Amino acid sequence: MMSSVRKVGVADMTTMSEIDEIEINQNLNIRYCSDIIYTYTGSILIALNPYKTINIYSKEHVSEYHRCKLGDLSPHVFALAEAAYTSIVEDNLNQACVISGESGAGKTETTKFILQYLCTITSNVSSWVQQQILEANTILEAFGNAKTIRNDNSSRFGKFMQVCFDDHNCIKGCVIQDYLLEQSRITYQSEGERNYHIMYQLVAQGQENTDVAKAFYLKPPEFYKYLNTTSTEQINMALESKKFDAVTMAFTVLQVPQFVIDGVFKVLSSILWLGNIDFMDIDGEGCDFSNSDQEAISNISSLLGLKRCDLQNVLLIRQINVRGNITEIPLKIKEAVENRHAMAKALYSKTFTWLVTKINNCTNPGKGGAKFLGVLDIFGFENFSQNSFEQLCINYTNEKLHKFFNHYVFALEQSIYDQEDIIFNHVEFTDNSQCLEIIEKPPRCVFKLLTEQCHMPKGSDSAYLNNMHSEFEFHPNYIKGSDRRHWETEFGIKHYAGSVIYTVDGFVKKNRDVQQDVLFDYMSFSEDIFVKDLSKFQDPQFVNSNYPRGSSKSKCTVSDNFRSQLQSLIDVLQHTKTWYVRCIKPNLLKRPNNYNNSLVLDQLKYLGVVDIIRIRREGFPIHLSHEDFINKYKCLMQNKSFEYSHKYITDIMETTYLTNTEWQIGKTKIFLRSVIYELLEDKRKEKIYKNAVTIQKYWKRFYCFKSFLRIKLAVLKIQHAYKGWKLRIHFMRMRRSAIVIQSRLRGVFAREVATALREMRRVDEEMKKRDKMFEQLANVQTNALADCESSRGNQRIGSYFR
């Protein structure tokens, strides 16, 4: 895991992790210091690989650096990523983070940290897309990384990941461009190295899960020759199985169907089985399969969904195109072995390219010119005991990027001096133009001579080497070999990072990169859907090929295609604001707490850091605009004036009592050397400190006075509230007493009224009874009188009739 170090400006440097002050060059008398220097024209970060886990990459650290200006906090890879993201938001410019360093310096881990940071700070929107980007990196790491003698997780391909942003500055997708997958690792690994991670993960899963072993015909790892080309590597089955689960989960997140996932693993299993095929020689004119090959043939044909006879034809016979007529020629045993290796390489290469295309389709940002932040994780400079075609391409890439860095940092820096009319002795920096010319400049260069041999019917490595010896014998960057005994097999190139001797064996074959057209023709009739789709998949460099199949000119060579890709990458970088992460490897033993001064110094030299220090010492590394300088240092003036800016700046600089040889005023900027910059900073800090003390004094007085007033006001409010509360309680008691008295009096009055009312009601009732009794007596008397009169009348009438 990488330990982020200090921020470094284009011409400035600060403390490295766990190293406060060390001399890196006694002649230059340059040392790392703890000051944060103002940066300009980009930023460079030096990262030291500690070879141990350091907990400085958690979400808490992401939150700490988010929305924080570069330089406010300790230098960190998150600070660089935040600065690049802020530049996208504020300047609306495409950004690029170029991560460089030796193999094993920690470039892959730094790439993951940058992606992690970008996905975390934009996780409030489109979190699914961000998760897909992170999981895509998991797949690429499994299929494109392997253990080497210098690195346990070395990227054996280059990748440029363009993280795209929409108009709201949220991640909308990611486009990945891959470069030069190391195909030779499929069939051969050096001592102490391994095949690609996914191979061991698949086999380990087969040992842990019998269903997987049965589905993909998997055997123990020691069974496969492609996994044991030099020595048997001890494999942690449980750990590799867990990593396999992580890869399958990543496929699921990328919405890859299960039958496609199974198809990918079938192809990988068939590649492993290809390595176990042993051929039997027949009179030196042909070959056939041995008895032990039958199981492998059966399993491969079943895995790829091919007919057994078709697979046998591909393994034993080659086709050549002679004026449109295809002729079949039996393969000799050596040719059959090479053809078998070519089949394995072609299957893995096409599968890897298919994966990259699938990932891009899944994380497609859509149409339109979206802003992007590119993260370039490219292979580091390599110099092994035996270097081949892959190392030449890798070191050529580093030469190309170093040239771009020189132009961006040094040439551009010194052009600013010319534009600002600054008197300055131009610094000579390491120029690798001659090295690039011998490798790539037409018409006669290393790659052109190699392509010529590939287009010849009988092109060979020895003829290629002889051509180079005669062509570049007197070139200052060319070496015939380590000594005369190896002149027929080796050549060397003086790179910016040191001389590298290349073994020419296999150059022509690897540059041709035979695509196994016959195999893919048979695969187009496969019963497996993925295998059938894979056979029709075309790499971009092969789509526009107009040559007939089997011709030596059927496609551009690997070196031609790689040069084209690399130039496209440089063109993209030239139109971006570039940030650099220089990864440093502290030792060759991959051990923590082990620091090799000479090794680090060598890396700092060829990474251009020492040249940066030199231009800082001899030039004016710190330059600020007039407005920024005045705003920053006007506090040093006692009597401030509002004259023109040059006079204002001159008045400020006179406070340092240093000659004007340490500073110059340009048209729009002021240029400073470190000594005067540090003096100005010290004076400014001292002034700020004194002013801060004065402000603190008055603030503390003001704070105490305000605190006293606040306490006094609080006491008065408490007193007022207490008195009010006490009077309120007294009033409430009196009111309750009055209410009780009132209720009692009202009760007495009510009872008296009620008694009077009852008495009046009684008298009234008695009067009513009396009146009623008198009325009844009157009625009785009236009725009696009426009856009496009636009876007298009746008596008179009776007497009359008688």
Side-chain angles (χ1 to χ4, degrees), residues 579-601:
W579 308 78
Y580 291 92
V581 179
R582 294 307 207 191
C583 297
I584 301 296
K585 185 165 56 175
N587 61 78
L588 297 175
L589 304 175
K590 298 185 286 188
R591 294 177 182 174
N593 304 320
N594 188 325
Y595 184 79
N596 188 325
N597 286 334
S598 61
L599 176 64
V600 172
L601 178 58

Side-chain angles (χ1 to χ4, degrees), residues 79-216:
L80 193 79
E82 173 65 23
Y85 177 75
T86 303
S87 185
I88 286 181
V89 175
E90 296 179 354
D91 303 333
N92 199 29
L93 295 174
N94 293 330
Q95 310 289 310
C97 295
V98 178
I99 304 171
S100 59
E102 281 193 4
S103 179
K107 300 182 296 298
T108 301
E109 292 298 316
T110 301
T111 300
K112 291 193 289 187
F113 291 143
I114 292 177
L115 293 177
Q116 168 195 337
Y117 183 84
L118 294 176
C119 292
T120 302
I121 64 175
T122 59
S123 59
N124 55 332
V125 180
S126 303
S127 58
W128 182 250
V129 174
Q130 295 151 7
Q131 187 64 31
Q132 286 181 325
I133 293 174
L134 295 176
E135 295 300 336
N137 195 63
T138 301
I139 294 175
L140 293 177
E141 187 173 322
F143 282 82
N145 288 27
K147 178 184 177 181
T148 65
I149 57 176
R150 295 188 177 183
N151 189 0
D152 292 340
N153 187 33
S154 177
S155 296
R156 306 318 300 165
F157 74 108
K159 63 177 181 289
F160 185 55
M161 305 182 70
Q162 296 182 3
V163 182
C164 302
F165 298 86
D166 57 20
D167 295 334
H168 303 287
N169 301 312
C170 295
I171 293 178
K172 64 182 294 187
C174 180
V175 177
I176 301 172
Q177 176 65 56
D178 64 297
Y179 302 94
L180 194 69
L181 178 71
E182 186 183 16
Q183 298 181 26
S184 61
R185 185 166 295 272
I186 299 296
T187 59
Y188 175 79
Q189 305 92 43
S190 300
E191 184 70 31
E193 298 191 353
R194 298 200 326 175
N195 209 317
Y196 288 102
H197 293 327
I198 189 62
M199 295 296 194
Y200 301 93
Q201 294 168 6
L202 176 62
V203 174
Q205 183 69 9
Q207 297 300 299
E208 298 288 330
N209 191 328
T210 56
D211 293 336
V212 173
K214 184 177 180 180
F216 303 127

Side-chain angles (χ1 to χ4, degrees), residues 414-443:
Q414 297 189 75
S415 68
I416 294 177
Y417 294 151
D418 296 334
Q419 294 172 7
E420 296 285 333
D421 292 337
I422 298 299
I423 301 174
F424 169 71
N425 295 325
H426 284 260
V427 175
E428 295 296 331
F429 53 86
T430 305
D431 188 5
N432 63 335
S433 298
Q434 285 188 334
C435 183
L436 279 175
E437 288 177 0
I438 192 177
I439 296 176
E440 68 171 2
K441 186 178 180 180

Side-chain angles (χ1 to χ4, degrees), residues 37 72 77 86 96 200 232 278 303 382 531 566 621 679 686 709:
I37 305 301
D72 290 347
V77 68
T86 303
Y200 301 93
T232 303
D278 294 322
L303 289 167
E382 293 184 349
V531 174
L566 196 55
L679 181 59
E686 182 181 0
L709 292 179

Side-chain angles (χ1 to χ4, degrees), residues 222-385:
E222 56 272 10
F223 174 79
Y224 297 107
K225 295 181 180 179
Y226 278 168
L227 301 184
N228 304 277
T229 56
T230 54
S231 62
T232 303
E233 284 283 330
Q234 295 296 326
I235 302 175
N236 188 335
M237 293 295 181
L239 179 61
E240 297 295 343
S241 180
K242 289 181 180 179
K243 292 181 179 179
F244 181 85
D245 294 335
V247 172
T248 54
M249 177 60 69
F251 275 121
T252 304
V253 172
L254 289 170
Q255 300 176 338
V256 178
Q258 186 60 45
F259 76 90
V260 175
I261 299 175
D262 293 341
V264 172
F265 294 142
K266 287 179 180 179
V267 172
L268 296 181
S269 180
S270 65
I271 292 173
L272 292 175
W273 277 105
L274 275 172
N276 282 45
I277 296 178
D278 294 322
F279 296 95
M280 181 174 57
D281 185 31
I282 301 178
D283 300 330
E285 298 296 330
C287 64
D288 199 354
F289 299 110
S290 62
N291 295 330
S292 60
D293 295 338
Q294 301 306 316
E295 181 184 10
I297 296 296
S298 177
N299 290 339
I300 295 171
S301 59
S302 178
L303 289 167
L304 297 180
L306 303 178
K307 295 180 180 179
R308 187 184 180 94
C309 59
D310 292 339
L311 180 62
Q312 291 175 345
N313 288 336
V314 175
L315 289 168
L316 298 178
I317 299 173
R318 68 185 176 97
Q319 296 180 350
I320 60 173
N321 190 327
V322 180
R323 298 179 181 179
N325 297 322
I326 298 177
T327 305
E328 295 183 348
I329 300 176
L331 294 172
K332 299 179 182 179
I333 186 168
K334 184 177 180 180
E335 295 173 338
V337 171
E338 293 298 328
N339 180 60
R340 178 197 65 184
H341 291 336
M343 289 174 59
K345 295 175 185 177
L347 283 172
Y348 195 87
S349 176
K350 182 159 284 196
T351 302
F352 184 82
T353 308
W354 182 92
L355 285 172
V356 174
T357 305
K358 179 64 178 178
I359 291 171
N360 287 335
N361 291 337
C362 183
T363 59
N364 187 9
K367 298 180 180 180
K371 299 172 291 185
F372 69 84
L373 192 159
V375 183
L376 179 62
D377 177 18
I378 206 74
F379 8 64
F381 189 86
E382 293 184 349
N383 186 3
F384 301 122
S385 58

